[in-house]
């Protein structure tokens, strides 16, 4: 047995998941791979890919399972992330950090903070691996600062033939452009280099606001704040808004008790109980929504970015999110509101609205246009199809692009029409993976054969 094969076999044994079932966070996707491997290096991973391909197996890499789609599902070889972790290098002069693909955003953010550094923008949870977040187009909200993909300066990718490519704007530039939101279709990411900056403070201002005011003043609220988002509670005329802006300080974190009440008790504990009640007694949902809209009070606090951008999410749900041209967002939201009432749906989860500036990533949901995101959710175990189907009809009528890691029914024919650079991406895929080693049913639907 060769040294390379010995390393790969060791990685398979260490995973402890041979022939085991894989399940995503929401529990709506399961897979039973023939083989599971947890490599510790790019070389081990490349060996595993080559061996799987020679055995006729498809290969997929899984992150933390926070996607709601089957993007990572496979009946072939499943690559697990838990040993491919850690900070590879931190270059203050260049303003970059290089991190192994299986590292969680929590570990990355805390490590950067310990060194007085930060990402410019981020999503609202930290449980994802960096490669999973990148591959599915994870984003936060921002007037000027884009999604995680827009902050990538380089990446390392294992391709179908076992090659380890180093990619940047200067090296393998076409692969770099596409792989910043690659859906796992181009290869397996083993490391990512992000742009970072000196750590700063954000002042968060959270407060209730009437829906009519938010929709009327939406453009102004986006223009006046570096990061603006809001949650609308269906069956009510109420929203909770959040405005995050850089602050000279001093830091004034949310109080331990007050923060626990808002983030753990109201947003997770009591909210989870309310969702369970709404699932059992659908008629109670409008009343529960009205109480939820009134429960969250105004608060202001100032802290380092990751403590402001992110919050715990312990209530499990299903989600669909669409990226719309920003100018169409409020019209689509009003249509969504009318549809919920017209169809007498019972929706216990708020609708989340965020924004992003246009970027140059071919399959980024903000590619080439200023964007607003409308996300709809349903508590896990609650019937969701009627709501999601009707919401999707509204979003697609406005040229919406579905989030790659969230539920949707779109296919390659539709997506090619809303992504001007779709063909550029699929051409890179055809070159790197002509035999679809990294294919699965989800990619066949959204990218075509």
């Amino acid at each position: 047995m060769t040294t390379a094969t010995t390393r790969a076999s060791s990685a398979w044994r260490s995973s402890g998941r041979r022939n085991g079932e894989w399940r995503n966070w929401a529990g709506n996707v399961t897979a039973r791979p023939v083989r599971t491997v947890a490599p510790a290096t790019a070389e081990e991973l490349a060996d595993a890919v080559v061996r799987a391909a020679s055995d006729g197996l498809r290969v997929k890499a899984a992150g933390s399972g926070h996607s709601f789609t089957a993007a990572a599902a496979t009946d072939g070889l499943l690559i697990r992330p838990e040993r491919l972790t850690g900070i590879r290098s931190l270059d203050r002069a260049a303003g970059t950090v290089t991190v192994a693909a299986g590292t969680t955003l929590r570990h990355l953010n805390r490590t950067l903070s310990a060194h007085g550094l930060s990402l410019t923008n981020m999503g609202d949870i930290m449980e994802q691996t960096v490669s999973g977040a990148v591959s599915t187009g994870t984003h936060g909200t921002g007037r000027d600062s884009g999604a995680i993909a827009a902050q990538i300066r380089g990446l390392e990718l294992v391709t179908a033939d076992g090659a380890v490519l180093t990619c940047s704007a200067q090296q393998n530039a076409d692969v770099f452009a596409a792989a910043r939101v690659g859906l796992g279709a181009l290869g397996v990411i083993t490391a990512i280099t992000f742009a970072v900056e000196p750590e700063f403070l954000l002042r968060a201002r959270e407060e209730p606001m009437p829906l009519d005011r938010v929709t009327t003043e939406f453009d102004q609220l986006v223009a006046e704040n570096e990061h603006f988002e809001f949650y609308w509670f269906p069956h009510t005329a109420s929203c909770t808004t959040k405005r995050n802006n850089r602050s000279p300080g001093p830091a004034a974190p949310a109080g331990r008790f007050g923060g626990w009440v808002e983030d753990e008790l109201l947003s997770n504990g009591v909210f989870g109980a309310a969702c369970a009640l709404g699932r059992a007694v659908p008629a109670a949902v409008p009343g529960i929504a009205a109480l939820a809209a009134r429960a969250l009070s105004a608060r202001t606090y100032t802290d380092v970015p990751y403590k402001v951008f992110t919050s715990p999410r312990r209530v499990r749900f299903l989600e669909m999110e669409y990226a719309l041209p920003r100018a169409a967002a409020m019209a689509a939201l009003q249509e969504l509101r009318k549809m919920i009432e017209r169809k007498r749906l019972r929706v216990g989860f708020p609708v989340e609205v965020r924004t992003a500036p246009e970027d140059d990533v071919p399959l980024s949901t903000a590619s080439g246009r200023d964007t607003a995101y409308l996300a709809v959710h349903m508590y896990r175990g609650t019937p969701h199809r009627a709501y999601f189907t009707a919401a999707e009809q509204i979003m697609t009528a406005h040229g919406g692009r579905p989030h790659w890691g969230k539920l949707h029914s779109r296919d390659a024919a539709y997506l090619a029409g809303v992504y001007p650079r779709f063909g550029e991406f699929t051409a890179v895929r055809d070159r790197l993976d002509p035999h679809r080693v990294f294919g699965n049913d989800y990619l066949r639907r959204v990218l075509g054969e």
Side-chain angles (χ1 to χ4, degrees):
M1 182 179 289
T2 66
T3 301
T5 304
T6 302
R7 288 200 306 268
S9 298
S10 174
W12 282 320
R13 287 195 299 270
S14 70
S15 72
R17 296 180 61 90
R18 186 194 298 267
N19 296 327
E21 184 179 76
W22 176 86
R23 182 181 296 268
N24 70 340
W25 176 82
N28 66 305
V29 178
T30 58
R32 187 171 290 277
V34 171
R35 230 180 260 167
T36 300
V37 58
T41 66
E43 291 73 24
E44 285 184 1
L45 196 154
D47 290 340
V49 169
V50 170
R51 176 172 171 175
S54 69
D55 291 342
L57 299 178
R58 303 297 185 192
V59 178
K60 298 306 297 179
S64 61
H66 273 266
S67 290
F68 300 90
T69 70
T74 186
D75 58 3
L77 172 66
L78 182 70
I79 296 171
R80 296 289 302 168
E82 51 262 28
R83 296 177 69 230
L84 198 64
T85 59
I87 307 299
R88 286 194 180 182
S89 64
L90 202 160
D91 189 333
R92 288 181 178 275
T96 60
V97 61
T98 300
V99 57
T103 307
T104 64
L105 290 168
R106 182 181 305 280
H107 179 72
L108 173 61
N109 284 326
R110 288 179 173 176
T111 301
L112 289 175
S113 184
H115 287 84
L117 298 168
S118 177
L119 297 173
T120 298
N121 198 355
M122 60 194 77
D124 57 10
I125 64 170
M126 295 196 293
E127 284 68 33
Q128 297 159 291
T129 62
V130 293
S131 58
V134 163
S135 296
T136 56
T138 292
H139 63 90
T141 189
R143 179 189 63 203
D144 308 307
S145 53
I148 289 180
Q151 301 171 68
I152 299 174
R153 297 296 176 265
L155 53 84
E156 183 181 81
L157 186 76
V158 172
T159 58
D161 60 0
V164 181
L165 293 184
T166 299
C167 307
S168 68
Q170 293 77 39
Q171 189 174 6
N172 295 306
D174 60 336
V175 178
F176 173 70
R180 286 177 290 170
V181 177
L183 315 186
L186 307 180
V188 180
I189 294 174
T190 50
I192 303 171
T193 299
F194 293 102
V196 295
E197 62 175 300
E199 190 171 60
F200 51 94
L201 293 172
L202 282 174
R203 181 177 184 267
R205 179 182 174 187
E206 301 173 4
E207 64 177 330
M209 191 177 291
L211 175 62
D212 287 347
R213 180 185 169 191
V214 175
T215 56
T216 299
E217 300 179 8
F218 179 69
D219 290 338
Q220 179 182 347
L221 289 165
V222 171
E224 291 178 348
N225 295 281
E226 292 175 78
H227 310 275
F228 174 73
E229 63 186 303
F230 71 91
Y231 297 83
W232 166 60
F233 295 84
H235 313 294
T236 79
S238 301
C239 298
T240 293
T241 63
K242 185 173 182 179
R243 287 171 269 190
N244 299 332
N245 292 285
R246 296 198 184 206
S247 168
R256 179 174 297 180
F257 179 73
W260 178 83
V261 168
E262 293 283 343
D263 294 333
E264 292 293 344
L265 181 60
L266 294 179
S267 296
N268 287 293
V270 172
F271 183 60
C275 287
L277 175 60
R279 181 178 61 188
V281 188
V285 167
I288 294 170
L291 289 173
R294 292 196 295 267
L296 297 174
S297 59
R299 62 172 177 166
T300 301
Y301 55 97
T302 303
D303 214 330
V304 295
Y306 81 88
K307 294 183 179 180
V308 174
F309 283 129
T310 69
S311 56
R313 293 285 186 270
R314 309 196 201 286
V315 179
R316 303 212 178 198
F317 53 84
L318 295 178
E319 181 177 0
M320 181 177 72
E321 181 179 66
Y322 265 80
L324 305 180
R326 191 177 298 173
M330 292 303 97
L333 181 62
Q334 293 292 6
E335 292 170 31
L336 185 68
R337 181 186 188 187
K338 293 175 182 177
M339 178 274 293
I340 290 171
E341 299 307 318
R342 183 177 67 253
K343 291 182 174 291
R344 302 179 65 84
L345 300 175
R346 295 292 177 256
V347 180
F349 247 90
V351 174
E352 183 181 21
V353 181
R354 295 177 287 176
T355 67
E358 69 171 281
D359 62 42
D360 65 349
V361 182
L363 290 192
S364 165
T365 46
S367 182
R369 71 186 189 193
D370 288 338
T371 295
Y373 297 94
L374 272 64
V376 299
H377 315 68
M378 286 293 265
Y379 183 54
R380 189 173 66 174
T382 303
H384 69 278
R385 293 190 185 279
Y387 177 36
F388 282 17
T389 297
E392 189 171 46
Q393 290 172 350
I394 293 169
M395 304 305 169
T396 55
H398 290 281
R401 300 167 177 170
H403 189 297
W404 296 109
K406 300 178 184 180
L407 294 177
H408 67 93
S409 67
R410 300 298 88 188
D411 61 14
Y414 174 86
L415 295 165
V418 294
Y419 281 96
R421 299 174 67 184
F422 190 85
E424 177 183 328
F425 181 91
T426 56
V428 173
R429 184 193 188 204
D430 288 343
R431 178 164 60 84
L432 292 183
D433 188 16
H435 303 297
R436 304 300 189 250
V437 171
F438 301 113
N440 64 5
D441 290 343
Y442 177 72
L443 292 183
R444 189 174 301 111
R445 173 163 65 88
V446 300
L447 296 179
E449 294 295 342

